[in-house]
Amino acid sequence: MSSPVSYDLQGQGGGIVLVAGAGASNVRWLQIITDSVISAISSSNLEDASDLVGVTIPAGVGIGGRIESVSLTSGTAIAYYF
């Protein structure tokens, strides 16, 4: 019997460290490492995701969902893939 646990939620799907000017696609979870500002975000299941653009998001915050694309103006984050 297979496990009902999705290991992608624990980062086994891989990811990328984002810094100012960097972006990622097909993200399941965005973990903010240092205070960060998002420059662009597109999500099919996060209503009004564009309201996050230009807002300083404090270190330690995680944003989950089906994020098609995201990029940072400043800060550092880890984007975990699907």
Side-chain angles (χ1 to χ4, degrees):
M1 184 169 137
S2 66
S3 171
V5 175
S6 172
Y7 290 102
D8 285 343
L9 294 176
Q10 299 173 4
Q12 280 86 343
I16 185 170
V17 175
L18 301 179
V19 293
S25 299
N26 299 317
V27 173
R28 172 185 298 270
W29 185 264
L30 184 67
Q31 183 65 50
I32 306 299
I33 304 302
T34 64
D35 291 359
S36 299
V37 177
I38 293 174
S39 59
I41 186 169
S42 173
S43 174
S44 61
N45 71 349
L46 182 60
E47 285 188 38
D48 302 320
S50 62
D51 289 347
L52 295 172
V53 173
V55 176
T56 300
I57 301 171
V61 170
I63 301 170
R66 185 175 228 356
I67 301 169
E68 281 78 30
S69 63
V70 62
S71 57
L72 298 182
T73 299
S74 64
T76 304
I78 301 173
Y80 292 99
Y81 298 125
F82 285 106

